[in-house]
Amino acid sequence: MVSRQICLVLTVLLSSLAIHANDSSPLNQELRLCKRDKRELQNKLNEARREAEDEKSYIINKTAKFCDCKKRNLNCIFAGTKLNMMRLNTGLYYANHSKVAWKAADNFCKSHGLHLVEIETRSELAEVEKIQTESSYWTSGTDKDESGKYIWTTSKREVNPMLWYLSQPDSFGPGRVTCVNLQHERLFDDPCDHEYGFICEMPRECQ
């Protein structure tokens, strides 16, 4: 009985060896086809995964942009609604004649969906002058990031040097942060803790 089982095992082994030795046997051909199909299916699966990831990223980006746009639109709806805004040729403005430090002025404008005024041209300087009743008003300009380099805080653009009064700016120096104020159609720099009136401006995208 044992001898018969050993013979059977040997027969199977020999048959298997014979099949593997014959590379063109139908079984080996089927195995090669299966392996090829498996590779093709794996490649298609990987491609589908990449496309799915790309589509996911696209949807996430579009959704983020949409939400950001909706948020901006909502901010525009309520911007300046509680204030007596004045329309000039260069935009919508609000002048507050209460004397406060620059930071308090900046916070007030932001709390109403506005920002401290940015003045880029002489024509805008002349327009904004129309709503002034006090001698000095804070704008959004400051050199808080780099002493002596004045930047509009919203647009991050540098203050036009043609808009300064003669000999201005002159208050900056090591360890001192100064801010830009408007006086008589010219810009001056003063320590930010000085107290002046201020002018808020409606964001460009809301006008």
Side-chain angles (χ1 to χ4, degrees):
M1 181 68 178
V2 175
S3 299
R4 184 177 298 175
Q5 289 177 343
I6 292 172
C7 289
L8 180 60
V9 171
L10 289 172
T11 302
V12 172
L13 288 172
L14 289 171
S15 299
S16 178
L17 289 171
I19 289 172
H20 287 287
N22 185 3
D23 193 53
S24 62
S25 68
L27 180 57
N28 277 338
Q29 290 178 4
E30 286 296 326
L31 286 173
R32 285 197 298 273
L33 289 173
C34 287
K35 289 179 181 179
R36 185 195 66 189
D37 292 344
K38 181 181 177 181
R39 285 195 299 270
E40 291 179 355
L41 287 173
Q42 188 63 50
N43 290 337
K44 289 180 179 179
L45 179 61
N46 292 338
E47 182 65 25
R49 285 174 177 167
R50 285 193 294 269
E51 290 179 356
E53 285 298 320
D54 291 343
E55 185 69 17
K56 179 181 176 182
S57 298
Y58 173 78
I59 292 172
I60 289 174
N61 290 335
K62 291 292 286 185
T63 302
K65 289 179 181 178
F66 174 77
C67 292
D68 186 51
C69 180
K70 293 289 286 184
K71 181 179 179 181
R72 287 201 304 272
N73 289 341
L74 286 174
N75 289 340
C76 288
I77 290 173
F78 298 106
T81 53
K82 296 181 180 180
L83 303 175
N84 184 23
M85 302 293 295
M86 181 174 292
R87 180 171 290 281
L88 302 176
N89 291 328
T90 50
L92 281 167
Y93 305 89
Y94 167 76
N96 190 311
H97 311 298
S98 302
K99 291 179 170 58
V100 298
W102 184 89
K103 186 62 178 177
D106 185 51
N107 289 338
F108 179 92
C109 293
K110 289 177 179 177
S111 71
H112 289 274
L114 311 172
H115 58 76
L116 279 171
V117 65
E118 296 188 356
I119 300 172
E120 299 180 358
T121 64
R122 285 193 174 182
S123 60
E124 185 174 11
L125 199 64
E127 283 293 305
V128 173
E129 183 77 13
K130 295 176 181 178
I131 60 176
Q132 291 185 249
T133 59
E134 301 293 329
S135 60
S136 300
Y137 288 80
W138 286 125
T139 70
S140 75
T142 178
D143 70 342
K144 63 179 181 178
D145 293 329
E146 182 180 342
S147 181
K149 184 177 181 179
Y150 291 88
I151 302 294
W152 299 119
T153 55
T154 300
S155 67
K156 307 302 181 185
R157 287 193 287 267
E158 193 166 357
V159 174
N160 183 347
M162 300 299 295
L163 302 180
W164 291 104
Y165 185 69
L166 295 176
S167 77
Q168 295 292 311
D170 65 352
S171 297
F172 64 90
R176 284 189 289 176
V177 177
T178 55
C179 297
V180 181
N181 66 85
L182 172 61
Q183 302 178 35
H184 311 299
E185 294 190 30
R186 285 293 184 272
L187 299 181
F188 292 75
D189 73 314
D190 281 310
C192 300
D193 58 358
H194 283 197
E195 296 186 344
Y196 298 133
F198 57 94
I199 298 173
C200 303
E201 180 179 6
M202 183 74 72
R204 299 296 184 188
E205 65 269 19
C206 298
Q207 298 189 37

Tab-separated table of all heavy atoms in Angstrom, residues 141-180:
chain	number	residue	atom	x	y	z
A	141	GLY	N	-0.697	102.858	5.894
A	141	GLY	CA	0.746	102.720	5.723
A	141	GLY	C	1.504	102.594	7.034
A	141	GLY	O	1.183	103.271	8.016
A	142	THR	N	2.521	101.742	7.059
A	142	THR	CA	3.353	101.569	8.247
A	142	THR	C	4.687	100.935	7.854
A	142	THR	O	4.787	100.280	6.807
A	142	THR	CB	2.649	100.688	9.300
A	142	THR	OG1	3.510	100.490	10.424
A	142	THR	CG2	2.275	99.341	8.731
A	143	ASP	N	5.687	101.121	8.712
A	143	ASP	CA	6.984	100.470	8.483
A	143	ASP	C	7.240	99.393	9.542
A	143	ASP	O	8.386	99.124	9.899
A	143	ASP	CB	8.125	101.486	8.458
A	143	ASP	CG	8.408	102.095	9.838
A	143	ASP	OD1	7.534	102.002	10.728
A	143	ASP	OD2	9.501	102.649	10.039
A	144	LYS	N	6.171	98.773	10.047
A	144	LYS	CA	6.304	97.809	11.152
A	144	LYS	C	7.128	96.575	10.771
A	144	LYS	O	7.703	95.926	11.636
A	144	LYS	CB	4.921	97.373	11.647
A	144	LYS	CG	4.076	96.626	10.627
A	144	LYS	CD	2.742	96.230	11.221
A	144	LYS	CE	1.898	95.458	10.209
A	144	LYS	NZ	0.604	95.024	10.797
A	145	ASP	N	7.187	96.225	9.487
A	145	ASP	CA	7.947	95.041	9.063
A	145	ASP	C	9.416	95.347	8.815
A	145	ASP	O	10.276	94.488	8.988
A	145	ASP	CB	7.327	94.431	7.797
A	145	ASP	CG	5.940	93.852	8.063
A	145	ASP	OD1	5.706	93.389	9.185
A	145	ASP	OD2	5.109	93.882	7.141
A	146	GLU	N	9.702	96.568	8.389
A	146	GLU	CA	11.088	96.966	8.119
A	146	GLU	C	11.207	98.474	8.312
A	146	GLU	O	10.532	99.240	7.613
A	146	GLU	CB	11.498	96.576	6.697
A	146	GLU	CG	12.932	96.914	6.364
A	146	GLU	CD	13.316	96.515	4.950
A	146	GLU	OE1	12.599	95.679	4.350
A	146	GLU	OE2	14.324	97.036	4.439
A	147	SER	N	12.030	98.873	9.247
A	147	SER	CA	12.143	100.289	9.584
A	147	SER	C	12.501	101.134	8.360
A	147	SER	O	13.453	100.850	7.639
A	147	SER	CB	13.209	100.476	10.666
A	147	SER	OG	13.325	101.843	11.020
A	148	GLY	N	11.683	102.157	8.122
A	148	GLY	CA	11.931	103.070	7.012
A	148	GLY	C	11.324	102.635	5.694
A	148	GLY	O	11.348	103.395	4.727
A	149	LYS	N	10.789	101.411	5.626
A	149	LYS	CA	10.145	100.932	4.404
A	149	LYS	C	8.631	100.902	4.639
A	149	LYS	O	8.130	100.043	5.365
A	149	LYS	CB	10.653	99.540	4.019
A	149	LYS	CG	10.078	99.045	2.697
A	149	LYS	CD	10.671	97.693	2.303
A	149	LYS	CE	10.115	97.221	0.967
A	149	LYS	NZ	10.694	95.918	0.552
A	150	TYR	N	7.921	101.819	4.007
A	150	TYR	CA	6.495	101.985	4.285
A	150	TYR	C	5.646	101.210	3.279
A	150	TYR	O	5.779	101.387	2.067
A	150	TYR	CB	6.129	103.473	4.290
A	150	TYR	CG	6.744	104.170	5.478
A	150	TYR	CD1	8.030	104.704	5.405
A	150	TYR	CD2	6.071	104.238	6.690
A	150	TYR	CE1	8.618	105.311	6.504
A	150	TYR	CE2	6.650	104.844	7.799
A	150	TYR	CZ	7.916	105.369	7.699
A	150	TYR	OH	8.497	105.954	8.794
A	151	ILE	N	4.782	100.367	3.835
A	151	ILE	CA	3.954	99.462	3.043
A	151	ILE	C	2.492	99.674	3.393
A	151	ILE	O	2.140	99.860	4.566
A	151	ILE	CB	4.337	97.984	3.332
A	151	ILE	CG1	5.814	97.739	3.018
A	151	ILE	CG2	3.453	97.021	2.542
A	151	ILE	CD1	6.183	97.868	1.568
A	152	TRP	N	1.625	99.647	2.378
A	152	TRP	CA	0.181	99.624	2.637
A	152	TRP	C	-0.168	98.222	3.133
A	152	TRP	O	0.141	97.234	2.477
A	152	TRP	CB	-0.611	99.955	1.369
A	152	TRP	CG	-0.346	101.306	0.787
A	152	TRP	CD1	0.151	101.583	-0.451
A	152	TRP	CD2	-0.580	102.577	1.411
A	152	TRP	NE1	0.254	102.929	-0.643
A	152	TRP	CE2	-0.192	103.577	0.494
A	152	TRP	CE3	-1.065	102.966	2.650
A	152	TRP	CZ2	-0.287	104.940	0.775
A	152	TRP	CZ3	-1.150	104.328	2.943
A	152	TRP	CH2	-0.775	105.295	2.014
A	153	THR	N	-0.800	98.141	4.285
A	153	THR	CA	-0.973	96.838	4.945
A	153	THR	C	-1.917	95.895	4.205
A	153	THR	O	-1.810	94.679	4.362
A	153	THR	CB	-1.491	97.022	6.380
A	153	THR	OG1	-2.704	97.796	6.355
A	153	THR	CG2	-0.463	97.730	7.243
A	154	THR	N	-2.828	96.396	3.407
A	154	THR	CA	-3.769	95.521	2.706
A	154	THR	C	-3.187	95.002	1.395
A	154	THR	O	-3.143	93.797	1.156
A	154	THR	CB	-5.098	96.251	2.427
A	154	THR	OG1	-5.671	96.656	3.681
A	154	THR	CG2	-6.084	95.326	1.713
A	155	SER	N	-2.719	95.876	0.551
A	155	SER	CA	-2.195	95.466	-0.762
A	155	SER	C	-0.741	95.013	-0.708
A	155	SER	O	-0.265	94.368	-1.646
A	155	SER	CB	-2.309	96.625	-1.755
A	155	SER	OG	-1.438	97.684	-1.375
A	156	LYS	N	-0.038	95.362	0.376
A	156	LYS	CA	1.394	95.041	0.542
A	156	LYS	C	2.270	95.789	-0.458
A	156	LYS	O	3.423	95.436	-0.658
A	156	LYS	CB	1.645	93.529	0.426
A	156	LYS	CG	0.789	92.679	1.348
A	156	LYS	CD	0.965	93.045	2.789
A	156	LYS	CE	0.118	92.177	3.701
A	156	LYS	NZ	0.191	92.604	5.121
A	157	ARG	N	1.736	96.833	-1.078
A	157	ARG	CA	2.542	97.634	-1.998
A	157	ARG	C	3.249	98.760	-1.233
A	157	ARG	O	2.742	99.249	-0.216
A	157	ARG	CB	1.671	98.215	-3.111
A	157	ARG	CG	1.223	97.185	-4.131
A	157	ARG	CD	0.637	97.854	-5.359
A	157	ARG	NE	-0.676	98.406	-5.075
A	157	ARG	CZ	-1.823	97.752	-5.275
A	157	ARG	NH1	-1.802	96.527	-5.749
A	157	ARG	NH2	-2.977	98.317	-5.003
A	158	GLU	N	4.380	99.176	-1.783
A	158	GLU	CA	5.143	100.233	-1.124
A	158	GLU	C	4.486	101.586	-1.379
A	158	GLU	O	3.926	101.838	-2.452
A	158	GLU	CB	6.578	100.229	-1.644
A	158	GLU	CG	7.528	101.079	-0.809
A	158	GLU	CD	8.989	100.796	-1.119
A	158	GLU	OE1	9.263	99.894	-1.946
A	158	GLU	OE2	9.853	101.484	-0.535
A	159	VAL	N	4.545	102.443	-0.374
A	159	VAL	CA	3.962	103.778	-0.498
A	159	VAL	C	4.705	104.552	-1.591
A	159	VAL	O	5.942	104.568	-1.629
A	159	VAL	CB	4.040	104.529	0.842
A	159	VAL	CG1	3.570	105.976	0.682
A	159	VAL	CG2	3.202	103.808	1.902
A	160	ASN	N	3.936	105.186	-2.457
A	160	ASN	CA	4.504	105.969	-3.564
A	160	ASN	C	5.332	107.124	-2.998
A	160	ASN	O	4.821	108.000	-2.302
A	160	ASN	CB	3.352	106.516	-4.416
A	160	ASN	CG	3.838	107.276	-5.640
A	160	ASN	OD1	5.013	107.612	-5.771
A	160	ASN	ND2	2.924	107.569	-6.548
A	161	PRO	N	6.635	107.164	-3.278
A	161	PRO	CA	7.491	108.223	-2.711
A	161	PRO	C	7.099	109.627	-3.158
A	161	PRO	O	7.445	110.607	-2.489
A	161	PRO	CB	8.893	107.850	-3.210
A	161	PRO	CG	8.674	106.974	-4.398
A	161	PRO	CD	7.408	106.230	-4.127
A	162	MET	N	6.346	109.740	-4.251
A	162	MET	CA	5.927	111.059	-4.735
A	162	MET	C	4.834	111.676	-3.872
A	162	MET	O	4.514	112.861	-4.032
A	162	MET	CB	5.431	110.940	-6.185
A	162	MET	CG	6.468	110.418	-7.161
A	162	MET	SD	7.920	111.493	-7.260
A	162	MET	CE	7.198	112.973	-7.970
A	163	LEU	N	4.254	110.891	-2.953
A	163	LEU	CA	3.134	111.389	-2.152
A	163	LEU	C	3.570	111.956	-0.803
A	163	LEU	O	2.761	112.551	-0.097
A	163	LEU	CB	2.112	110.266	-1.921
A	163	LEU	CG	1.531	109.621	-3.184
A	163	LEU	CD1	0.534	108.541	-2.810
A	163	LEU	CD2	0.879	110.661	-4.076
A	164	TRP	N	4.848	111.787	-0.468
A	164	TRP	CA	5.328	112.298	0.816
A	164	TRP	C	5.493	113.813	0.776
A	164	TRP	O	5.811	114.404	-0.260
A	164	TRP	CB	6.678	111.684	1.162
A	164	TRP	CG	6.660	110.221	1.489
A	164	TRP	CD1	7.066	109.203	0.680
A	164	TRP	CD2	6.235	109.620	2.708
A	164	TRP	NE1	6.917	107.991	1.317
A	164	TRP	CE2	6.401	108.212	2.562
A	164	TRP	CE3	5.721	110.108	3.898
A	164	TRP	CZ2	6.085	107.311	3.571
A	164	TRP	CZ3	5.399	109.214	4.913
A	164	TRP	CH2	5.579	107.837	4.752
A	165	TYR	N	5.312	114.421	1.954
A	165	TYR	CA	5.643	115.836	2.109
A	165	TYR	C	7.168	115.977	2.091
A	165	TYR	O	7.906	115.029	2.341
A	165	TYR	CB	5.068	116.361	3.431
A	165	TYR	CG	5.262	117.844	3.633
A	165	TYR	CD1	4.573	118.764	2.852
A	165	TYR	CD2	6.139	118.320	4.612
A	165	TYR	CE1	4.752	120.130	3.032
A	165	TYR	CE2	6.324	119.685	4.799
A	165	TYR	CZ	5.629	120.581	4.007
A	165	TYR	OH	5.817	121.922	4.177
A	166	LEU	N	7.649	117.179	1.800
A	166	LEU	CA	9.088	117.424	1.770
A	166	LEU	C	9.737	116.983	3.076
A	166	LEU	O	9.214	117.259	4.162
A	166	LEU	CB	9.355	118.912	1.536
A	166	LEU	CG	8.916	119.478	0.179
A	166	LEU	CD1	9.152	120.977	0.136
A	166	LEU	CD2	9.676	118.793	-0.951
A	167	SER	N	10.865	116.315	2.975
A	167	SER	CA	11.664	115.809	4.098
A	167	SER	C	11.019	114.615	4.810
A	167	SER	O	11.564	114.124	5.789
A	167	SER	CB	11.971	116.911	5.128
A	167	SER	OG	10.829	117.185	5.940
A	168	GLN	N	9.862	114.167	4.328
A	168	GLN	CA	9.204	112.989	4.913
A	168	GLN	C	9.556	111.731	4.121
A	168	GLN	O	9.833	111.826	2.925
A	168	GLN	CB	7.687	113.194	4.921
A	168	GLN	CG	7.206	114.315	5.813
A	168	GLN	CD	7.422	114.014	7.281
A	168	GLN	OE1	7.060	112.939	7.762
A	168	GLN	NE2	8.027	114.950	7.983
A	169	PRO	N	9.575	110.571	4.762
A	169	PRO	CA	9.374	110.326	6.199
A	169	PRO	C	10.629	110.639	7.011
A	169	PRO	O	11.738	110.506	6.504
A	169	PRO	CB	9.065	108.825	6.240
A	169	PRO	CG	9.795	108.257	5.067
A	169	PRO	CD	9.744	109.305	3.993
A	170	ASP	N	10.424	111.030	8.288
A	170	ASP	CA	11.584	111.426	9.105
A	170	ASP	C	11.498	110.941	10.550
A	170	ASP	O	12.365	111.280	11.356
A	170	ASP	CB	11.733	112.947	9.083
A	170	ASP	CG	10.574	113.659	9.754
A	170	ASP	OD1	9.580	112.979	10.102
A	170	ASP	OD2	10.650	114.885	9.935
A	171	SER	N	10.486	110.150	10.889
A	171	SER	CA	10.309	109.733	12.287
A	171	SER	C	10.770	108.315	12.567
A	171	SER	O	10.750	107.872	13.702
A	171	SER	CB	8.823	109.857	12.691
A	171	SER	OG	8.403	111.201	12.618
A	172	PHE	N	11.162	107.594	11.520
A	172	PHE	CA	11.544	106.196	11.719
A	172	PHE	C	12.960	106.086	12.291
A	172	PHE	O	13.730	107.038	12.271
A	172	PHE	CB	11.466	105.423	10.403
A	172	PHE	CG	12.427	105.892	9.353
A	172	PHE	CD1	13.693	105.341	9.259
A	172	PHE	CD2	12.072	106.896	8.453
A	172	PHE	CE1	14.595	105.776	8.291
A	172	PHE	CE2	12.968	107.334	7.485
A	172	PHE	CZ	14.228	106.771	7.404
A	173	GLY	N	13.254	104.917	12.815
A	173	GLY	CA	14.579	104.658	13.361
A	173	GLY	C	14.599	103.328	14.080
A	173	GLY	O	13.556	102.688	14.255
A	174	PRO	N	15.772	102.858	14.500
A	174	PRO	CA	15.882	101.573	15.184
A	174	PRO	C	14.974	101.496	16.413
A	174	PRO	O	14.970	102.412	17.241
A	174	PRO	CB	17.364	101.510	15.582
A	174	PRO	CG	18.056	102.422	14.621
A	174	PRO	CD	17.080	103.528	14.341
A	175	GLY	N	14.194	100.428	16.494
A	175	GLY	CA	13.323	100.233	17.647
A	175	GLY	C	12.050	101.050	17.623
A	175	GLY	O	11.259	101.010	18.571
A	176	ARG	N	11.840	101.825	16.564
A	176	ARG	CA	10.617	102.635	16.474
A	176	ARG	C	9.771	102.198	15.288
A	176	ARG	O	10.297	101.965	14.195
A	176	ARG	CB	10.968	104.119	16.310
A	176	ARG	CG	11.445	104.782	17.588
A	176	ARG	CD	11.564	106.280	17.398
A	176	ARG	NE	12.690	106.616	16.521
A	176	ARG	CZ	12.973	107.855	16.130
A	176	ARG	NH1	12.191	108.851	16.494
A	176	ARG	NH2	14.012	108.089	15.361
A	177	VAL	N	8.469	102.065	15.524
A	177	VAL	CA	7.521	101.748	14.457
A	177	VAL	C	6.691	102.991	14.197
A	177	VAL	O	6.117	103.568	15.119
A	177	VAL	CB	6.602	100.572	14.844
A	177	VAL	CG1	5.574	100.320	13.750
A	177	VAL	CG2	7.426	99.319	15.103
A	178	THR	N	6.644	103.417	12.947
A	178	THR	CA	5.877	104.615	12.612
A	178	THR	C	4.821	104.294	11.563
A	178	THR	O	4.929	103.319	10.820
A	178	THR	CB	6.801	105.738	12.100
A	178	THR	OG1	7.568	105.245	10.990
A	178	THR	CG2	7.758	106.184	13.194
A	179	CYS	N	3.800	105.108	11.540
A	179	CYS	CA	2.661	104.897	10.640
A	179	CYS	C	2.415	106.159	9.820
A	179	CYS	O	2.841	107.257	10.196
A	179	CYS	CB	1.420	104.524	11.439
A	179	CYS	SG	1.585	102.953	12.333
A	180	VAL	N	1.706	105.983	8.727
A	180	VAL	CA	1.526	107.065	7.757
A	180	VAL	C	0.202	107.784	7.996
A	180	VAL	O	-0.854	107.146	8.109
A	180	VAL	CB	1.560	106.516	6.312
A	180	VAL	CG1	1.392	107.653	5.307
A	180	VAL	CG2	2.875	105.779	6.064
